[in-house]
Each structure stands twice: as structure tokens, then as C-alpha cells.
Amino acid sequence: MFRKVTAALAIVASAANLVSAGITFDTPNKATLQDEIANLELNIPAATPAVEKTAPSKAAKEWTIMVFINGKNNLEPYALKDMNEMEMVGSTDKVNVVTETGLVSGYGATPWLGTRRFLIKKDNNTSTVTSPMLQDLGKVDMGDYKSVVDFVNWSKTNYPAKKYMLIIWNHGSGWDKGRALVSKGISYDDETGNHINTPQMGLLLKAAGGVDVYGSDACLMQMPEVVYEIKNYVPYIVGSEETEPGDGYTYNDLLTPLMANPAMSAEQLGVTAVDAYANHYENQNEGYTQSLVKTAALPQFLNVANDFAAAMMASGDKAGVKAAINGAQNYAVYENHDLVHFAQLIGASTKDANVKAKAAAFANYITGTLVIHNRALPSSYSNSHGLSGYMPTYGFNGDYNSLAWAAASKWDEFIAWYEAN
């Protein structure tokens, strides 16, 4: 199935060992994106949705789920499909579900062009979006992080709750804010050519006052390079080490347990999000990864990671490190490797007792403390443990130095060490 990975990645497939963006990263010779979109059989109404006339309630509910749906690219048909999944459950007297949804021409008929805000309400129509439109914003740059800030602030003002979850829905490609022909980040707007880079993710969550759970309904985002950037503004982060299928989250599966237990904690909702995603794709036997990170564990993770990096550099065993990197579970971006699997491999192969001890401490901290829930399809990703890291073997991207993780950790020094002749 087509994956939510930016089309720009296909341009450098030979350099990064990527598979064409039109074909699944798991199994060759499946349908192209165009075929898959055609099979969605969405009934898209010609009429403009009605504008909600009633004023929103100011009484705080248990949760407000905010989904920033940037459909202004080749994922556009899935935006409408996911909104219909949300409408299978709808908002309740305890939970608000609101979206900011942008559509653009060029990917089939659409019910509107531009960006609109909706309060999701339950209906029995699984092919047509019937929820009331709250605002027609016209042309919005959904690749500008300030647009997400505006949406979150609007949601908090008009649909207050005790707890908030923000989901950014779009293409994603990890930490990198841009290089040559590849631009990594999240929320790609084809109309403006912009996207949100990783440092801007921290800026947007800070400006929006933080949330209780953040989820990337996008590819390749569960990395220390990403989670460290936003750690001060959200206690729980849901994301995927690997690419996501075009269908991404199955929103009715995510929302149904929340409606049944609206008082659930932020951690419980994070676990629910991981399980809803994993159960759906496991039932289809389709490759997936999804995990939940607890950001309170990141300060100590920094110490453990620095100790591990320092031990490897002190050992002088560059060949052993490179062999472990090459053998470690990697993903659609080949430079991304599962950190636990890498540590397990170097720990098993090294003759240095300090490296062996620090590798075990590093792996155990991730699986026992930092990643509090992890799911991956065993047949495809048995060596995925919830967090991938940047470990290039063919050159270093200087943009890495702009990350909070690079500034705080020794990981960039570690990369420079093993890559040096």
C-alpha cells in the first residue's frame, strides 16, 4: 500500500535505498497510489457543507482531540476517508473532536478547495462528510507551523477540555529540515511548497501552550531527533519508526475506546492510539510500527545515550560499529536504524566490556523506561523496539547540528567519529 512518505524521497531513491513512492515499502507489485485512491470509492458531495450556526460550548469536557489534516497533496482522498471514520463515532458530551482540513485541486473531485474547520459529529454515512463546517479559512499555508498554532489556540478557546491531544496528519520523513533534493519534516503543502521542519515542531507546541498527547499520523517520526525537540511541551508522544500506510490512523478504532472511557489519562490514550493502529494493520497482516514515548524519561535517556556513545568512541572499534549499523533494522529512510537493535548487535559483537555494559544499559532504558508501549508486526519488524535514530554510513547531513538533540547529546560527535577515516 502507498505509504505516507514525502514524494521527494523518491527522487533520491538510489542514494537512500528507498522504494518508489507509488509502491508499498513492504511488498512489491501492489497497486499504485492512483489505483488505491480509485478503489476508495468515496462519495464526495458537490454541495458546500453547512456552516455551524450554534456557538460552541464553553464548558470544559474531558478531552478535545484536534486533528490537523493537511490534505493539500497526494494524500487528499484519505483526508475525507479519515473524516468519515471520525464521524462513525463523533463528538460527545465528554469529548470534542475537531479538525482543520485542507484540500487542493489535482487529485480528483473535492467538495471544497482551501481549508476549513469542522466539529466532527456522528452520522451513519460512511462515504460523505456531513459534519458542520465551523469556519472557512480560504487559502491557508498548512506547511507553516503558525497555522497549527492558530488551530490549536482556536480549538482550546472554543472547545475547552481538561486534556488535549494534537494529531498532525500528512506526510512525514523524520528529523531533517532539508537537504539537496530531500526535505524532511512533516505537513507538506503542495500548494505553497512549504512544510514544518523538526525545530518548528518545538516552536509550534510551545506557542500553542503544549498538549497532553501528541501523535504524528505520518511516516518515520518516532526518533530521538524529533521527540527531544518537543519534550518540554507534551508528556506523551505517539509515532512510527517506519512509514505508515496511506490510510494512516483508523480513527473510529482510536475514538471508540475514548468515548467509552472519556476520563482516561493521557498515558492511557497514548496506549489506546498505539493499539488501535497496531490492531488494524495486524488484522490485515500489513507491516507496521507504532510506539508511545514518555518524555519525562528523556533527560536520563540523554545521559544513557551519551555514556553509550562515549564508550563506543573510547573503544576505537569503528569497524564493529559500522557493522552493527549495517546489520540493524532500518526503514524507508535507510539512515534510520532501530536504536535497541543496534545496541544489541554491538553489545553482542564487541570485546570491550565497557561498550557491552553501556549498550545493555542503553537498550534496557529504551525498552523498560522511555518507550512505554511498542507494537510492530512480528513477521516484518521483529527488531523494531519503538525508537529509531539517525546513523548514516555515507556522509553526514549538517542540518543535524540545528537539532536540540544534537546540541545536547554526543550523538553527532559519535557519527563524526565513526565516519572519519
Side-chain angles (χ1 to χ4, degrees):
M1 180 177 287
F2 180 79
R3 296 279 180 173
K4 282 188 174 180
V5 61
T6 175
L9 291 173
I11 302 174
V12 292
S14 60
N17 288 347
L18 298 179
V19 182
S20 169
I23 305 295
T24 177
F25 286 104
D26 297 322
T27 306
N29 301 322
K30 286 193 178 180
T32 65
L33 170 66
Q34 291 75 20
D35 293 336
E36 190 170 348
I37 288 173
N39 290 333
L40 288 176
E41 297 181 352
L42 295 176
N43 179 14
I44 301 173
T48 300
V51 177
E52 177 64 75
K53 302 296 185 183
T54 58
S57 171
K58 297 298 182 179
K61 297 186 179 183
E62 292 291 335
W63 280 93
T64 292
I65 309 301
M66 304 169 288
V67 191
F68 187 78
I69 304 178
N70 179 2
K72 297 174 69 181
N73 47 60
N74 55 3
L75 293 174
E76 181 195 73
Y78 294 103
L80 300 170
K81 184 176 185 294
D82 282 353
M83 288 183 71
N84 274 290
E85 290 174 354
M86 296 175 202
E87 289 181 336
M88 294 171 68
V89 181
S91 301
T92 69
D93 61 345
K94 299 292 185 182
V95 178
N96 303 304
V97 183
V98 293
T99 78
E100 179 166 321
T101 306
L103 304 178
V104 69
S105 61
Y107 299 101
T110 61
W112 75 87
L113 296 177
T115 303
R116 298 180 174 188
R117 288 172 176 163
F118 295 84
L119 172 65
I120 300 298
K121 292 190 175 182
K122 184 175 182 178
D123 66 19
N124 295 318
N125 189 330
T126 59
S127 61
T128 301
V129 173
T130 64
S131 292
M133 180 184 70
L134 304 176
Q135 288 185 321
D136 186 341
L137 302 177
K139 184 175 180 179
V140 171
D141 184 353
M142 300 189 81
D144 184 340
Y145 80 92
K146 294 185 290 295
S147 297
V148 186
V149 175
D150 290 343
F151 171 55
V152 174
N153 288 338
W154 171 85
S155 299
K156 288 182 175 182
T157 297
N158 291 279
Y159 296 92
K162 297 175 185 177
K163 298 178 287 294
Y164 297 93
M165 180 179 190
L166 171 65
I167 298 169
I168 297 182
W169 181 109
N170 191 241
H171 288 298
S173 50
W175 65 266
D176 188 359
K177 76 172 187 176
R179 67 171 170 181
L181 296 176
V182 180
S183 294
K184 298 181 181 178
I186 198 168
S187 194
Y188 293 77
D189 186 324
D190 282 5
E191 192 172 38
T192 66
N194 294 330
H195 73 280
I196 298 169
N197 64 47
T198 303
Q200 289 172 344
M201 291 178 67
L203 293 176
L204 79 85
L205 282 170
K206 180 180 180 180
V211 294
D212 298 280
V213 183
Y214 168 77
S216 290
D217 190 1
C219 297
L220 302 161
M221 300 299 289
Q222 203 72 325
M223 309 178 71
E225 290 84 0
V226 175
V227 300
Y228 200 84
E229 201 76 38
I230 63 177
K231 66 180 176 61
N232 294 332
Y233 317 111
V234 55
Y236 296 97
I237 300 170
V238 181
S240 175
E241 293 182 83
E242 180 59 290
T243 54
E244 290 190 354
D247 195 25
Y249 286 14
T250 306
Y251 283 89
N252 52 303
D253 291 342
L254 168 61
L255 294 173
T256 297
L258 177 60
M259 302 312 176
N261 180 22
M264 68 171 54
S265 66
E267 180 176 334
Q268 288 172 324
L269 182 56
V271 170
T272 297
V274 171
D275 284 341
Y277 181 94
N279 292 342
H280 175 76
Y281 291 109
E282 195 144 318
N283 288 337
Q284 296 183 175
N285 196 33
E286 183 166 4
Y288 73 87
T289 63
Q290 199 78 188
S291 65
L292 177 65
V293 165
K294 183 177 181 178
T295 61
L298 282 167
Q300 181 58 26
F301 174 67
L302 174 65
N303 296 330
V304 173
N306 283 344
D307 288 347
F308 181 36
M312 288 187 288
M313 288 187 284
S315 76
D317 185 13
K318 294 182 182 180
V321 166
K322 290 179 181 179
I325 292 172
N326 289 330
Q329 173 72 62
N330 68 283
Y331 302 98
V333 172
Y334 190 77
E335 296 165 333
N336 294 3
H337 297 266
D338 183 83
L339 290 172
V340 170
H341 192 215
F342 164 69
Q344 290 172 339
L345 292 176
I346 193 68
S349 64
T350 186
K351 296 179 180 179
D352 188 305
N354 190 40
V355 171
K356 189 179 294 289
K358 299 304 183 185
F362 179 78
N364 290 339
Y365 191 81
I366 292 174
T367 58
T369 304
L370 179 60
V371 175
I372 59 176
H373 193 46
N374 178 60
R375 298 277 303 274
L377 187 70
S379 61
S380 302
Y381 297 105
S382 61
N383 291 315
S384 291
H385 300 274
L387 201 67
S388 67
Y390 177 61
M391 285 181 274
T393 54
Y394 299 102
F396 175 74
N397 185 343
D399 285 335
Y400 198 80
N401 294 323
S402 69
L403 299 175
W405 174 248
S409 76
K410 295 180 180 178
W411 205 253
D412 51 332
E413 289 92 339
F414 165 62
I415 294 170
W417 166 77
Y418 74 70
E419 285 207 320
N421 294 327

PDB file of all heavy atoms in Angstrom, residues 143-167:
ATOM      1  N   GLY A 143       1.771  24.165   5.522  1.00  0.00           N
ATOM      2  CA  GLY A 143       3.169  23.851   5.757  1.00  0.00           C
ATOM      3  C   GLY A 143       3.853  24.875   6.639  1.00  0.00           C
ATOM      4  O   GLY A 143       5.062  24.810   6.855  1.00  0.00           O
ATOM      5  N   ASP A 144       3.076  25.809   7.181  1.00  0.00           N
ATOM      6  CA  ASP A 144       3.581  26.833   8.090  1.00  0.00           C
ATOM      7  C   ASP A 144       3.185  26.435   9.508  1.00  0.00           C
ATOM      8  O   ASP A 144       1.992  26.248   9.801  1.00  0.00           O
ATOM      9  CB  ASP A 144       2.971  28.187   7.719  1.00  0.00           C
ATOM     10  CG  ASP A 144       3.513  29.345   8.543  1.00  0.00           C
ATOM     11  OD1 ASP A 144       4.071  29.106   9.637  1.00  0.00           O
ATOM     12  OD2 ASP A 144       3.364  30.502   8.105  1.00  0.00           O
ATOM     13  N   TYR A 145       4.161  26.312  10.396  1.00  0.00           N
ATOM     14  CA  TYR A 145       3.848  25.843  11.751  1.00  0.00           C
ATOM     15  C   TYR A 145       2.896  26.776  12.476  1.00  0.00           C
ATOM     16  O   TYR A 145       2.155  26.357  13.369  1.00  0.00           O
ATOM     17  CB  TYR A 145       5.133  25.643  12.552  1.00  0.00           C
ATOM     18  CG  TYR A 145       5.739  26.905  13.126  1.00  0.00           C
ATOM     19  CD1 TYR A 145       5.408  27.337  14.402  1.00  0.00           C
ATOM     20  CD2 TYR A 145       6.664  27.659  12.400  1.00  0.00           C
ATOM     21  CE1 TYR A 145       5.976  28.477  14.944  1.00  0.00           C
ATOM     22  CE2 TYR A 145       7.222  28.796  12.928  1.00  0.00           C
ATOM     23  CZ  TYR A 145       6.892  29.206  14.201  1.00  0.00           C
ATOM     24  OH  TYR A 145       7.437  30.350  14.737  1.00  0.00           O
ATOM     25  N   LYS A 146       2.893  28.059  12.087  1.00  0.00           N
ATOM     26  CA  LYS A 146       1.979  29.006  12.739  1.00  0.00           C
ATOM     27  C   LYS A 146       0.519  28.682  12.444  1.00  0.00           C
ATOM     28  O   LYS A 146      -0.371  29.037  13.233  1.00  0.00           O
ATOM     29  CB  LYS A 146       2.325  30.442  12.317  1.00  0.00           C
ATOM     30  CG  LYS A 146       3.684  30.920  12.811  1.00  0.00           C
ATOM     31  CD  LYS A 146       3.956  32.362  12.488  1.00  0.00           C
ATOM     32  CE  LYS A 146       4.167  32.602  11.010  1.00  0.00           C
ATOM     33  NZ  LYS A 146       5.390  31.935  10.510  1.00  0.00           N
ATOM     34  N   SER A 147       0.246  27.993  11.342  1.00  0.00           N
ATOM     35  CA  SER A 147      -1.130  27.568  11.056  1.00  0.00           C
ATOM     36  C   SER A 147      -1.596  26.531  12.072  1.00  0.00           C
ATOM     37  O   SER A 147      -2.765  26.531  12.474  1.00  0.00           O
ATOM     38  CB  SER A 147      -1.217  26.997   9.635  1.00  0.00           C
ATOM     39  OG  SER A 147      -0.903  27.975   8.664  1.00  0.00           O
ATOM     40  N   VAL A 148      -0.693  25.654  12.493  1.00  0.00           N
ATOM     41  CA  VAL A 148      -1.048  24.679  13.526  1.00  0.00           C
ATOM     42  C   VAL A 148      -1.269  25.389  14.855  1.00  0.00           C
ATOM     43  O   VAL A 148      -2.195  25.061  15.602  1.00  0.00           O
ATOM     44  CB  VAL A 148       0.037  23.597  13.672  1.00  0.00           C
ATOM     45  CG1 VAL A 148      -0.427  22.511  14.637  1.00  0.00           C
ATOM     46  CG2 VAL A 148       0.386  22.989  12.324  1.00  0.00           C
ATOM     47  N   VAL A 149      -0.439  26.365  15.155  1.00  0.00           N
ATOM     48  CA  VAL A 149      -0.610  27.146  16.387  1.00  0.00           C
ATOM     49  C   VAL A 149      -1.986  27.786  16.417  1.00  0.00           C
ATOM     50  O   VAL A 149      -2.705  27.727  17.432  1.00  0.00           O
ATOM     51  CB  VAL A 149       0.484  28.225  16.512  1.00  0.00           C
ATOM     52  CG1 VAL A 149       0.226  29.105  17.739  1.00  0.00           C
ATOM     53  CG2 VAL A 149       1.867  27.588  16.604  1.00  0.00           C
ATOM     54  N   ASP A 150      -2.382  28.403  15.302  1.00  0.00           N
ATOM     55  CA  ASP A 150      -3.698  29.045  15.224  1.00  0.00           C
ATOM     56  C   ASP A 150      -4.815  28.035  15.466  1.00  0.00           C
ATOM     57  O   ASP A 150      -5.792  28.316  16.169  1.00  0.00           O
ATOM     58  CB  ASP A 150      -3.886  29.709  13.861  1.00  0.00           C
ATOM     59  CG  ASP A 150      -3.009  30.940  13.676  1.00  0.00           C
ATOM     60  OD1 ASP A 150      -2.500  31.466  14.696  1.00  0.00           O
ATOM     61  OD2 ASP A 150      -2.819  31.363  12.520  1.00  0.00           O
ATOM     62  N   PHE A 151      -4.683  26.854  14.867  1.00  0.00           N
ATOM     63  CA  PHE A 151      -5.711  25.830  15.021  1.00  0.00           C
ATOM     64  C   PHE A 151      -5.813  25.358  16.470  1.00  0.00           C
ATOM     65  O   PHE A 151      -6.919  25.233  17.017  1.00  0.00           O
ATOM     66  CB  PHE A 151      -5.390  24.647  14.097  1.00  0.00           C
ATOM     67  CG  PHE A 151      -6.232  23.433  14.306  1.00  0.00           C
ATOM     68  CD1 PHE A 151      -7.628  23.507  14.252  1.00  0.00           C
ATOM     69  CD2 PHE A 151      -5.644  22.198  14.568  1.00  0.00           C
ATOM     70  CE1 PHE A 151      -8.408  22.365  14.443  1.00  0.00           C
ATOM     71  CE2 PHE A 151      -6.415  21.065  14.752  1.00  0.00           C
ATOM     72  CZ  PHE A 151      -7.805  21.161  14.704  1.00  0.00           C
ATOM     73  N   VAL A 152      -4.686  25.102  17.102  1.00  0.00           N
ATOM     74  CA  VAL A 152      -4.708  24.634  18.488  1.00  0.00           C
ATOM     75  C   VAL A 152      -5.277  25.709  19.398  1.00  0.00           C
ATOM     76  O   VAL A 152      -6.121  25.423  20.270  1.00  0.00           O
ATOM     77  CB  VAL A 152      -3.300  24.212  18.946  1.00  0.00           C
ATOM     78  CG1 VAL A 152      -3.299  23.876  20.440  1.00  0.00           C
ATOM     79  CG2 VAL A 152      -2.815  23.010  18.145  1.00  0.00           C
ATOM     80  N   ASN A 153      -4.857  26.951  19.223  1.00  0.00           N
ATOM     81  CA  ASN A 153      -5.373  28.026  20.072  1.00  0.00           C
ATOM     82  C   ASN A 153      -6.867  28.223  19.873  1.00  0.00           C
ATOM     83  O   ASN A 153      -7.616  28.451  20.836  1.00  0.00           O
ATOM     84  CB  ASN A 153      -4.614  29.319  19.794  1.00  0.00           C
ATOM     85  CG  ASN A 153      -3.194  29.296  20.341  1.00  0.00           C
ATOM     86  OD1 ASN A 153      -2.890  28.525  21.242  1.00  0.00           O
ATOM     87  ND2 ASN A 153      -2.328  30.125  19.791  1.00  0.00           N
ATOM     88  N   TRP A 154      -7.309  28.134  18.629  1.00  0.00           N
ATOM     89  CA  TRP A 154      -8.748  28.238  18.348  1.00  0.00           C
ATOM     90  C   TRP A 154      -9.504  27.090  19.010  1.00  0.00           C
ATOM     91  O   TRP A 154     -10.565  27.289  19.611  1.00  0.00           O
ATOM     92  CB  TRP A 154      -8.965  28.219  16.837  1.00  0.00           C
ATOM     93  CG  TRP A 154     -10.397  28.095  16.423  1.00  0.00           C
ATOM     94  CD1 TRP A 154     -11.317  29.096  16.286  1.00  0.00           C
ATOM     95  CD2 TRP A 154     -11.093  26.868  16.100  1.00  0.00           C
ATOM     96  NE1 TRP A 154     -12.528  28.584  15.895  1.00  0.00           N
ATOM     97  CE2 TRP A 154     -12.425  27.222  15.772  1.00  0.00           C
ATOM     98  CE3 TRP A 154     -10.712  25.535  16.054  1.00  0.00           C
ATOM     99  CZ2 TRP A 154     -13.370  26.269  15.402  1.00  0.00           C
ATOM    100  CZ3 TRP A 154     -11.650  24.589  15.689  1.00  0.00           C
ATOM    101  CH2 TRP A 154     -12.956  24.951  15.377  1.00  0.00           C
ATOM    102  N   SER A 155      -8.963  25.892  18.913  1.00  0.00           N
ATOM    103  CA  SER A 155      -9.622  24.718  19.495  1.00  0.00           C
ATOM    104  C   SER A 155      -9.730  24.852  21.011  1.00  0.00           C
ATOM    105  O   SER A 155     -10.778  24.568  21.608  1.00  0.00           O
ATOM    106  CB  SER A 155      -8.850  23.449  19.150  1.00  0.00           C
ATOM    107  OG  SER A 155      -8.792  23.243  17.757  1.00  0.00           O
ATOM    108  N   LYS A 156      -8.649  25.276  21.648  1.00  0.00           N
ATOM    109  CA  LYS A 156      -8.663  25.413  23.102  1.00  0.00           C
ATOM    110  C   LYS A 156      -9.635  26.491  23.555  1.00  0.00           C
ATOM    111  O   LYS A 156     -10.275  26.367  24.607  1.00  0.00           O
ATOM    112  CB  LYS A 156      -7.250  25.724  23.609  1.00  0.00           C
ATOM    113  CG  LYS A 156      -6.292  24.556  23.527  1.00  0.00           C
ATOM    114  CD  LYS A 156      -4.933  24.935  24.107  1.00  0.00           C
ATOM    115  CE  LYS A 156      -3.978  23.762  24.147  1.00  0.00           C
ATOM    116  NZ  LYS A 156      -2.670  24.115  24.748  1.00  0.00           N
ATOM    117  N   THR A 157      -9.750  27.547  22.768  1.00  0.00           N
ATOM    118  CA  THR A 157     -10.657  28.648  23.136  1.00  0.00           C
ATOM    119  C   THR A 157     -12.110  28.239  22.970  1.00  0.00           C
ATOM    120  O   THR A 157     -12.951  28.502  23.843  1.00  0.00           O
ATOM    121  CB  THR A 157     -10.365  29.879  22.265  1.00  0.00           C
ATOM    122  OG1 THR A 157      -9.030  30.320  22.522  1.00  0.00           O
ATOM    123  CG2 THR A 157     -11.338  31.009  22.572  1.00  0.00           C
ATOM    124  N   ASN A 158     -12.413  27.587  21.865  1.00  0.00           N
ATOM    125  CA  ASN A 158     -13.807  27.287  21.544  1.00  0.00           C
ATOM    126  C   ASN A 158     -14.274  25.927  22.033  1.00  0.00           C
ATOM    127  O   ASN A 158     -15.486  25.725  22.217  1.00  0.00           O
ATOM    128  CB  ASN A 158     -14.005  27.386  20.029  1.00  0.00           C
ATOM    129  CG  ASN A 158     -13.891  28.805  19.524  1.00  0.00           C
ATOM    130  OD1 ASN A 158     -14.844  29.579  19.608  1.00  0.00           O
ATOM    131  ND2 ASN A 158     -12.724  29.164  19.013  1.00  0.00           N
ATOM    132  N   TYR A 159     -13.343  25.009  22.249  1.00  0.00           N
ATOM    133  CA  TYR A 159     -13.694  23.657  22.691  1.00  0.00           C
ATOM    134  C   TYR A 159     -12.783  23.243  23.846  1.00  0.00           C
ATOM    135  O   TYR A 159     -11.973  22.332  23.726  1.00  0.00           O
ATOM    136  CB  TYR A 159     -13.631  22.678  21.512  1.00  0.00           C
ATOM    137  CG  TYR A 159     -14.659  23.026  20.470  1.00  0.00           C
ATOM    138  CD1 TYR A 159     -14.331  23.866  19.409  1.00  0.00           C
ATOM    139  CD2 TYR A 159     -15.980  22.608  20.603  1.00  0.00           C
ATOM    140  CE1 TYR A 159     -15.296  24.249  18.484  1.00  0.00           C
ATOM    141  CE2 TYR A 159     -16.945  22.990  19.688  1.00  0.00           C
ATOM    142  CZ  TYR A 159     -16.597  23.813  18.632  1.00  0.00           C
ATOM    143  OH  TYR A 159     -17.557  24.202  17.730  1.00  0.00           O
ATOM    144  N   PRO A 160     -12.912  23.949  24.977  1.00  0.00           N
ATOM    145  CA  PRO A 160     -12.019  23.702  26.114  1.00  0.00           C
ATOM    146  C   PRO A 160     -12.216  22.318  26.700  1.00  0.00           C
ATOM    147  O   PRO A 160     -13.306  21.751  26.654  1.00  0.00           O
ATOM    148  CB  PRO A 160     -12.421  24.789  27.116  1.00  0.00           C
ATOM    149  CG  PRO A 160     -13.848  25.114  26.774  1.00  0.00           C
ATOM    150  CD  PRO A 160     -13.931  24.971  25.275  1.00  0.00           C
ATOM    151  N   ALA A 161     -11.140  21.778  27.231  1.00  0.00           N
ATOM    152  CA  ALA A 161     -11.182  20.443  27.829  1.00  0.00           C
ATOM    153  C   ALA A 161     -10.124  20.354  28.920  1.00  0.00           C
ATOM    154  O   ALA A 161      -9.223  21.204  29.020  1.00  0.00           O
ATOM    155  CB  ALA A 161     -10.935  19.382  26.769  1.00  0.00           C
ATOM    156  N   LYS A 162     -10.250  19.316  29.711  1.00  0.00           N
ATOM    157  CA  LYS A 162      -9.247  19.070  30.752  1.00  0.00           C
ATOM    158  C   LYS A 162      -7.935  18.599  30.143  1.00  0.00           C
ATOM    159  O   LYS A 162      -6.864  18.855  30.685  1.00  0.00           O
ATOM    160  CB  LYS A 162      -9.778  18.029  31.730  1.00  0.00           C
ATOM    161  CG  LYS A 162     -11.028  18.464  32.482  1.00  0.00           C
ATOM    162  CD  LYS A 162     -11.574  17.326  33.354  1.00  0.00           C
ATOM    163  CE  LYS A 162     -12.889  17.716  34.018  1.00  0.00           C
ATOM    164  NZ  LYS A 162     -13.460  16.583  34.807  1.00  0.00           N
ATOM    165  N   LYS A 163      -8.023  17.899  29.027  1.00  0.00           N
ATOM    166  CA  LYS A 163      -6.836  17.350  28.374  1.00  0.00           C
ATOM    167  C   LYS A 163      -6.995  17.487  26.863  1.00  0.00           C
ATOM    168  O   LYS A 163      -8.112  17.459  26.343  1.00  0.00           O
ATOM    169  CB  LYS A 163      -6.632  15.875  28.753  1.00  0.00           C
ATOM    170  CG  LYS A 163      -6.404  15.637  30.246  1.00  0.00           C
ATOM    171  CD  LYS A 163      -6.259  14.171  30.589  1.00  0.00           C
ATOM    172  CE  LYS A 163      -7.574  13.407  30.520  1.00  0.00           C
ATOM    173  NZ  LYS A 163      -8.550  13.824  31.529  1.00  0.00           N
ATOM    174  N   TYR A 164      -5.830  17.588  26.181  1.00  0.00           N
ATOM    175  CA  TYR A 164      -5.835  17.801  24.736  1.00  0.00           C
ATOM    176  C   TYR A 164      -4.886  16.824  24.044  1.00  0.00           C
ATOM    177  O   TYR A 164      -3.784  16.552  24.526  1.00  0.00           O
ATOM    178  CB  TYR A 164      -5.375  19.226  24.392  1.00  0.00           C
ATOM    179  CG  TYR A 164      -6.282  20.302  24.922  1.00  0.00           C
ATOM    180  CD1 TYR A 164      -6.031  20.887  26.166  1.00  0.00           C
ATOM    181  CD2 TYR A 164      -7.385  20.732  24.191  1.00  0.00           C
ATOM    182  CE1 TYR A 164      -6.861  21.881  26.657  1.00  0.00           C
ATOM    183  CE2 TYR A 164      -8.220  21.735  24.674  1.00  0.00           C
ATOM    184  CZ  TYR A 164      -7.954  22.293  25.908  1.00  0.00           C
ATOM    185  OH  TYR A 164      -8.785  23.281  26.396  1.00  0.00           O
ATOM    186  N   MET A 165      -5.336  16.322  22.889  1.00  0.00           N
ATOM    187  CA  MET A 165      -4.472  15.560  22.003  1.00  0.00           C
ATOM    188  C   MET A 165      -4.414  16.261  20.658  1.00  0.00           C
ATOM    189  O   MET A 165      -5.451  16.637  20.098  1.00  0.00           O
ATOM    190  CB  MET A 165      -4.996  14.133  21.797  1.00  0.00           C
ATOM    191  CG  MET A 165      -4.108  13.292  20.872  1.00  0.00           C
ATOM    192  SD  MET A 165      -4.731  11.584  20.649  1.00  0.00           S
ATOM    193  CE  MET A 165      -3.338  10.836  19.788  1.00  0.00           C
ATOM    194  N   LEU A 166      -3.203  16.461  20.153  1.00  0.00           N
ATOM    195  CA  LEU A 166      -2.991  17.025  18.826  1.00  0.00           C
ATOM    196  C   LEU A 166      -2.409  15.957  17.922  1.00  0.00           C
ATOM    197  O   LEU A 166      -1.428  15.300  18.277  1.00  0.00           O
ATOM    198  CB  LEU A 166      -2.031  18.218  18.878  1.00  0.00           C
ATOM    199  CG  LEU A 166      -1.557  18.762  17.519  1.00  0.00           C
ATOM    200  CD1 LEU A 166      -2.726  19.352  16.717  1.00  0.00           C
ATOM    201  CD2 LEU A 166      -0.446  19.801  17.710  1.00  0.00           C
ATOM    202  N   ILE A 167      -3.031  15.790  16.757  1.00  0.00           N
ATOM    203  CA  ILE A 167      -2.530  14.877  15.730  1.00  0.00           C
ATOM    204  C   ILE A 167      -2.234  15.701  14.482  1.00  0.00           C
ATOM    205  O   ILE A 167      -3.093  16.459  14.012  1.00  0.00           O
ATOM    206  CB  ILE A 167      -3.555  13.785  15.394  1.00  0.00           C
ATOM    207  CG1 ILE A 167      -3.854  12.925  16.633  1.00  0.00           C
ATOM    208  CG2 ILE A 167      -3.048  12.900  14.253  1.00  0.00           C
ATOM    209  CD1 ILE A 167      -5.034  11.992  16.459  1.00  0.00           C
TER     210      ILE A 167
END
